[in-house]
Structures are given as C-alpha cells and as structure tokens.
Amino acid sequence: MYPPSRQDYVSLNLPEPGSGSYNNSKQWRRQSFWRKWKQLSRLQRSLILFTLVLLFICGLASYSTVSKHLRDLTEKKQDSDRSSLLRPIDSHVLPEPANQGRLPLPEQPSQRKLSNKRGPPVLHNRLQNKGNSSEVEEKVADSKKDGGDGGVISWRGAVIDTEQNTDGDNKDVSPSNKDVKVSDKSGSRLEEVQEAFRHAWKGYKDFAWGHDELRPVSKSYSEWFGLGLTLIDALDTMWILGLKEEFEEAKEWVATELSFNKNVDVNLFESTIRILGGLLSTYHLTGDTLFLDKAKDIGSRLMPAFNTQSKIPYSDVNIGKGSAHPPRWTSDSTVAEVTSIQLEFRELSRLTEDPQYQSAVSEVMTQVHKLDGKLDGLVPMFINTNSGQFTHQGIYTLGARADSYYEYLLKQWIQGGKKENQFLEDYLQAVEGIKKNLLQKSSPNGLTFVGELSHGQFSPKMDHLVCFLPGTLALGAHNGLPAEHMELAKQLMETCYQMYVQMETGLSPEIVHFNMHQGSTRDVDVKLADRHNLLRPETVESLFYLYRFTKDQKYQDWGWEILQSFNKFTKVSSGGYTSINNVRDPEYPSPRDKMESFFLGETLKYLYLLFSDDLDLISLDRYVFNTEAHPLPIWSSTG
Ligand code: DMJ
C-alpha cells in the first residue's frame, strides 16, 4: 500500500467533505486564535479593534461612492441603448409624427413591431449628428477671405473667369460663397445631408478609393468601367455641399490618377451622363480647366459609338481601342440611352467650338422624331442600330429604357434657350400621350399613377424610375408650359411619396403595382422580386423641383422623412450606405452590399438642394440638370 508519510499528507490537506479531520482542524484554528487574543495586552487589543472599526467605516464610504458611479454608468448605457432602440433618429428635428400625411393602411403585423425596434441588425444606424454649424460658418468666413466677395477666386482655389462662363454661373453656386439666411430647421437639415455625404465618402475613401463603387458591407469595391465612377459622379455634389477638403482630395485624384487611355468597354449612356456630365458641370462650377480637358478626352473617346450604319449609336465603346459594338445578343440600343446623351454632347460642342459632338447627337433626335411606331408621342423601348427603326414595338412605359427620352426633350428645349420647337412639340405630345394612355387612379385612395401599356393591355405597374416625372412636369410648367402640368406633377408627387411611406422601412421598392379594383384594401402592392431599393434619386429629385416652384414646405418634410429612412435602414457603420433587398422588412432589409454612384451624384445632392432655401444655389433659370443631376448652363443665359 502507501508509505505512512504519504498517507498523513493526504488526510491533512485534502480532507473528504464531512470528514472528521476537516472539522477538527477548524476547531483547532478557533481555539488557537482565542488563546493568542487573550495573550495580548489591553492596549494592543484596543488598537486592533480601533483599526478594524476604522477600516470598516472607510470600506462603507468607498462602497457607496463606487456603487453610485456604477449605477450612473449603467443608467447612461441603458439610455443610449434605448435611444438607439426607440430613437435611432433625432426626434428633435423630426417635423411631424411618423404617420402624418400617410394614407390609412390596414395595420400589418410587422408595422406593429416597428415602433420599438432597432434597424437592421447588420447595419449601424445611429445618427451621427456632429453639429457642424461652426464648420459651416468657418467655410463662409474662408470663402470671404479667399475672395468670395469679388467672385474671382473661390475657396477651392479655382480661378474664376466670369467672362469665360458668360452666364457667370460660378459666382454663387455654393452656400460657402453666399450670405444665405437659413432657418434653424433648414440649417440642421443641410448639415444632416453633409454628414450623410461625409459618411458615404468615408466608406468610399477607406475601401474603394479610385474604384467605381463601394461595397460597404464587405468593405471592398466593385468595378464597372474601372474609372473611379463614384468619385467623378460626386465631384459637383461636394462643391455644392461646400465640402472643401473632400473636393480637393478628389480633384487631386482626377489630376494625377484618372486616365481614359484604357482598354475597357464602357456603356455610352452611363459614361456620358455620369463621367462626361460630371466633368462638365464641375468645370462650370469651378472654372478649373482640368475638368474641361478631361471632359474633352472622354467625350472624344466615346465618339466611335456613333459609327453605325444608321447613326443610332451602339451601346458600348472601348475607350482605349476606339471601337464600339452593341451588346452580344442584339444589334438594338435602348431608346432612353440614345436619346439621353444630348445635353452633354451639345454642351461639349459649345465649349470646344467643335460641332462634331452636337451633330452626332442631334442626328439621333432628328431620326427618332421622324420614326413611325410611336403612340401619341410615346416611344417603344428599343431601336435598331442597323435599320434605325424601333423594335419590340407595342410596349410603352415611362420607366426603364424610355424614361429619360421624355426628360431630355424638355431639357434640350430649355438648354437651347427654348428655341428648338421640335423638342417642345414632341414633349407636349408625349405628355398628352401619357395622360391618354398611361394615367390611372388607384383604389381605394385614388392615387394618380403612370402605368404601362403592352400591346393594348394596360398594366398598373410603375417603376420608381417614373418618379422623375413630377419634377420634369413642374420644370416645364415653370418654363411656361400649361399650368395643368403642374397640377399633374403635384398628384404624381404625392403618389411617389406614398410609395415610400407605405413601406415598413419608409423606403420605396424598385417597382410597385397599384390596385384598381373597387373594394381593394390598399393602393400599393409589391411583388417579392421588386422589393429592393437601390438608393435611387428620382423621388427626392422631384421633391426638389416641387419645393423650388411651390415653396410648400411639405415637400421638404417628405424629403426629410426619406433621408431619415435612408439613415435608419441603409447606413453601414464603417462607412457608406448600401442598397437593400427588402423594403418591407425593417427587421432585416437585407443589404445588397453596394453603394451606387448616383447616391452621391444625385440623391444626396437633390436632398441638399431641397433643404436649401437659397433659390440661387443652382438656379433653375440658369442651369438645367442632366439625368444624373449634373447641372449644365442654359445657353440663353450665356448671352
Ligand atoms: C441614374 O443613373 C440616372 O438618374 C438615370 O437617368 C436613371 N438611373 C439612375 C438613377 O436611378
């Protein structure tokens, strides 16, 4: 068995619970302590007792301080948790209770839950209101220091030659260059848009710098053309929002990194509206010829697209090789694409005094004007690059593939000083065609909407893209077209707003279907496949026009609600905003991990202009916006 010493060691130090040896040892310790205490003198005992009492009192005092501190900390944390749960947006600046102005809707189970739920778990939705008023004031002061008064040198350091831009368009484009009186509400909303831009820009800068698009969730990027699309699209937005630092760093990239001498295929329409349009407007706003040079470069590289049998351009161009081609599966181009590049190429001709650009795009308009296959001024969606004829006829929509054809009819007429009557005639006829063939009212609330026609069959389907129309109609009315266009604009504006507020996230889906049957319980239905939101601008774009022309503050308030919803459901904590898959699920809107360049180029720009009460900030009597929200000068105002 075990040696004796080993046995003793075990029984003494590792007693079995309840064994006699454990109890004996406790007893032994108590007796020896008492014996020792009795051996102490009275003085020694008093001293020890006094010290113990003192220690006890100190312990009590420090416990109450520490516990109070801990209590405070806990309460603060709970407050902040609660505020992100219940108040992810700053309720001080909310204009009105959440459901005001909405049409009555049957309550959905998920709506009931919405009131006290946080946004999507994967997104960080807390508002980061840093209160930048002093920063804005500083910029105003800077601008004055830098010569803002004389309108010769702006704070961006660009030398402005007021003769060069004969409309003097760069004197007053930025709030930094003006003494604009802003109300508290308007001021804080403007700051909120600046903050949203900075947040989006941070993501782009950290994870996608110089690339086409940010993928904010995976903290990476995606390429489309490989030309820094987001950066170029956002240039004039930064200028207009007065974001000096951000603008300067982007300009540096354009100056040192941007090259169009690349073996890449680009889409003619997308690169025209985003890149050529963005560079031209930035040139106009800044007067910096860097942007004009770049605009000339990309413009001339896109020209091979027009070398087709019919002169209707191909959809794709290789800007390095100088070759162009249609998509692999067809020789068709999209009607909206070939008819929504005119503002940009016409302006390029005016600036360069080289007529080739204007004559190429004007040829397209002349041909489309003459074509058979229209229905009361409405155009089909495809046109063949060989025959120059419409194809896939019989389908008429104001949505994808046709939308900006109508927009550019009106805008070319305005750009050219309202002299080119063919555009006006085609536009007026098209508005009548819309009214006659596509306009209907929903049930039960009678929302006016624009549906589609397919081979004589009406479909109550409306793309979010159609929401450009209220703004365009209002712009026409502002330019002297029938007042009833403005009335229609207001009705459609209400519908587009309802497409947002009737969704559980407060964000519109890509496509809605309106109910038209008597007895319907709700006006809007959304198919599963159509529930995504790509951060598109059309509704806030139209809100901007409607507010500019009516001064009705409800349009600003609607835009404000939409911005709150973007912040709540699409903002990614590490930077950037993401498109989402499901506007009907506030618990999990399902991020698509992509920030489209038009979110910076258009959506945030239009929101800023909507909240600004400065009518001269990109005056609609001196500028016309291209379909990517890049302002170009109206020629009549250029003398
Ligand atoms: C933008 O590129 C332009 O506004 C275009 O006219 C339509 N699609 C997007 C925005 O939705």
Side-chain angles (χ1 to χ4, degrees):
M1 299 291 286
Y2 297 107
S5 59
R6 173 78 186 238
Q7 272 181 331
D8 289 344
Y9 178 81
V10 171
S11 67
L12 187 67
N13 293 307
L14 293 169
E16 289 294 316
S19 76
S21 63
Y22 179 76
N23 287 336
N24 287 346
S25 114
K26 261 198 343 196
Q27 217 172 339
W28 178 84
R29 275 204 303 269
R30 246 196 325 262
Q31 283 167 2
S32 100
F33 170 77
W34 191 238
R35 213 175 306 131
K36 280 186 183 150
W37 177 254
K38 281 192 162 170
Q39 284 166 0
L40 295 176
S41 71
R42 177 174 280 178
L43 181 69
Q44 281 172 321
R45 281 191 232 156
S46 309
L47 270 175
I48 290 172
L49 281 174
F50 177 75
T51 313
L52 285 175
V53 169
L54 200 67
L55 282 174
F56 180 71
I57 291 169
C58 289
L60 266 186
S62 64
Y63 171 77
S64 76
T65 318
V66 169
S67 68
K68 182 176 180 310
H69 185 61
L70 282 176
R71 217 173 29 246
D72 284 354
L73 275 181
T74 320
E75 275 165 11
K76 268 186 202 144
K77 186 177 176 320
Q78 278 168 353
D79 275 356
S80 81
D81 284 353
R82 214 176 298 133
S83 65
S84 66
L85 269 166
L86 298 177
R87 200 166 52 80
I89 46 180
D90 188 345
S91 59
H92 299 302
V93 285
L94 265 180
E96 48 192 31
N99 200 34
Q100 214 167 320
R102 298 182 193 187
L103 294 174
L105 274 175
E107 195 181 24
Q108 302 290 309
S110 50
Q111 276 178 313
R112 274 196 293 277
K113 279 187 265 158
L114 181 62
S115 57
N116 61 353
K117 290 289 177 188
R118 159 199 310 275
V122 291
L123 303 182
H124 174 77
N125 291 319
R126 238 168 355 105
L127 190 70
Q128 297 175 350
N129 194 349
K130 289 184 184 151
N132 298 335
S133 54
S134 58
E135 212 174 312
V136 173
E137 279 158 23
E138 204 176 290
K139 281 178 183 159
V140 173
D142 276 359
S143 99
K144 288 185 178 153
K145 233 188 295 162
D146 292 351
D149 278 343
V152 177
I153 301 173
S154 77
W155 54 253
R156 289 94 177 164
V159 179
I160 294 169
D161 176 1
T162 46
E163 293 306 308
Q164 180 181 304
N165 301 315
T166 42
D167 58 349
D169 52 8
N170 43 20
K171 286 202 295 284
D172 57 357
V173 290
S174 163
S176 317
N177 288 344
K178 284 186 71 74
D179 248 351
V180 179
K181 294 252 178 307
V182 285
S183 68
D184 283 353
K185 188 157 90 172
S186 167
S188 69
R189 288 177 174 185
L190 291 171
E191 282 172 21
E192 187 88 12
V193 183
Q194 287 173 324
E195 188 52 39
F197 186 97
R198 284 201 186 93
H199 185 81
W201 189 248
K202 178 190 179 319
Y204 179 74
K205 208 176 146 186
D206 288 353
F207 310 120
W209 185 250
H211 298 285
D212 283 343
E213 290 148 336
L214 169 68
R215 299 185 62 209
V217 179
S218 55
K219 300 183 183 169
S220 59
Y221 59 84
S222 54
E223 294 292 28
W224 190 5
F225 309 143
L227 296 173
L229 205 57
T230 295
L231 188 149
I232 300 176
D233 221 359
L235 283 168
D236 57 4
T237 305
M238 291 183 263
W239 180 272
I240 291 166
L241 268 59
L243 301 175
K244 178 181 179 179
E245 252 174 55
E246 291 82 353
F247 179 82
E248 287 300 334
E249 62 196 354
K251 179 182 144 184
E252 182 63 19
W253 184 86
V254 172
T256 57
E257 304 285 329
L258 177 60
S259 167
F260 296 125
N261 189 14
K262 273 187 168 175
N263 180 12
V264 285
D265 274 355
V266 303
N267 174 282
L268 170 68
F269 164 73
E270 298 291 357
S271 50
T272 299
I273 64 170
R274 301 185 198 213
I275 300 177
L276 179 57
L279 291 168
L280 286 174
S281 70
T282 308
Y283 164 66
H284 277 293
L285 300 180
T286 62
D288 190 329
T289 52
L290 163 69
F291 301 107
L292 179 58
D293 292 342
K294 292 288 180 189
K296 283 186 211 163
D297 190 13
I298 186 69
S300 59
R301 288 172 186 274
L302 292 173
M303 289 307 283
F306 296 90
N307 295 334
T308 66
Q309 208 174 304
S310 65
K311 304 272 186 281
I312 301 297
Y314 288 133
S315 58
D316 298 280
V317 195
N318 186 305
I319 52 171
K321 290 187 187 157
S323 57
H325 59 89
R328 237 171 286 140
W329 57 91
T330 177
S331 54
D332 289 349
S333 284
T334 296
V335 170
E337 292 196 359
V338 300
T339 56
S340 312
I341 49 180
Q342 280 64 18
L343 293 176
E344 299 81 356
F345 279 101
R346 280 155 53 105
E347 178 59 11
L348 187 59
S349 271
R350 191 182 73 92
L351 288 171
T352 58
E353 297 180 350
D354 180 347
Q356 63 158 324
Y357 309 109
Q358 174 153 8
S359 67
V361 293
S362 296
E363 171 66 21
V364 179
M365 293 312 295
T366 307
Q367 287 196 40
V368 171
H369 171 72
K370 289 185 202 149
L371 281 183
D372 290 335
K374 289 185 208 149
L375 174 72
D376 302 318
L378 304 176
V379 289
M381 302 193 294
F382 297 98
I383 186 165
N384 190 271
T385 51
N386 296 321
S387 66
Q389 300 296 314
F390 289 131
T391 63
H392 304 89
Q393 296 192 34
I395 302 176
Y396 301 97
T397 172
L398 261 281
R401 298 189 184 277
D403 48 1
S404 42
Y405 161 73
Y406 305 100
E407 179 187 350
Y408 268 37
L409 285 176
L410 178 74
K411 289 182 172 177
Q412 284 176 84
W413 177 67
I414 293 172
Q415 179 190 42
K418 305 188 208 174
K419 293 175 195 135
E420 297 152 291
N421 286 335
Q422 184 187 300
F423 296 133
L424 177 62
E425 281 161 24
D426 287 354
Y427 176 74
L428 288 172
Q429 196 196 0
V431 174
E432 290 311 306
I434 294 167
K435 281 163 41 186
K436 182 174 162 196
N437 300 289
L438 304 181
L439 217 56
Q440 286 289 350
K441 294 227 185 248
S442 68
S443 177
N445 290 300
L447 295 175
T448 305
F449 70 93
V450 182
E452 297 183 356
L453 204 62
S454 177
H455 307 288
Q457 192 79 27
F458 181 79
S459 160
K461 162 182 179 276
M462 181 164 148
D463 294 354
H464 180 272
L465 287 169
V466 181
C467 290
F468 81 93
L469 189 58
T472 297
L473 287 168
L475 180 64
H478 174 73
N479 280 279
L481 302 190
E484 69 183 58
H485 287 199
M486 183 55 103
E487 289 318 304
L488 181 54
K490 287 179 188 170
Q491 290 171 25
L492 291 171
M493 191 74 262
E494 169 75 34
T495 305
C496 290
Y497 170 61
Q498 290 299 329
M499 285 163 62
Y500 282 72
V501 289
Q502 294 203 11
M503 298 302 120
E504 288 78 352
T505 55
L507 292 172
S508 170
E510 179 74 356
I511 299 169
V512 297
H513 285 76
F514 287 92
N515 285 316
M516 294 173 66
H517 311 293
Q518 293 266 311
S520 302
T521 49
R522 51 185 301 148
D523 293 80
V524 180
D525 278 333
V526 188
K527 294 192 190 305
L528 268 178
D530 302 334
R531 295 184 168 195
H532 47 293
N533 178 294
L534 304 184
L535 312 171
R536 286 198 191 275
E538 290 76 18
T539 295
V540 294
E541 167 186 355
S542 284
L543 287 171
F544 156 65
Y545 284 104
L546 269 284
Y547 179 70
R548 273 276 169 110
F549 299 139
T550 66
K551 284 280 160 253
D552 186 339
Q553 290 197 352
K554 80 176 175 198
Y555 297 123
Q556 286 187 323
D557 293 344
W558 292 355
W560 179 242
E561 284 178 40
I562 291 171
L563 176 59
Q564 302 306 309
S565 298
F566 278 131
N567 274 331
K568 190 169 176 188
F569 293 104
T570 70
K571 190 171 179 178
V572 180
S573 60
S574 49
Y577 288 74
T578 178
S579 46
I580 55 174
N581 277 314
N582 192 353
V583 296
R584 307 223 62 170
D585 188 351
E587 305 293 319
Y588 189 71
S590 175
R592 288 167 79 104
D593 195 15
K594 183 157 167 171
M595 184 174 77
E596 302 278 350
S597 79
F598 50 69
F599 184 63
L600 300 191
E602 297 194 71
T603 310
L604 292 178
K605 183 190 290 154
Y606 281 130
L607 279 166
Y608 189 84
L609 292 170
L610 166 66
F611 298 144
S612 169
D613 282 313
D614 178 8
L615 294 181
D616 278 339
L617 181 58
I618 316 293
S619 157
L620 289 172
D621 294 322
R622 290 192 292 116
Y623 288 94
V624 62
F625 285 88
N626 85 339
T627 193
E628 188 76 5
H630 298 303
L632 299 172
I634 293 172
W635 297 346
S636 60
S637 65
T638 66

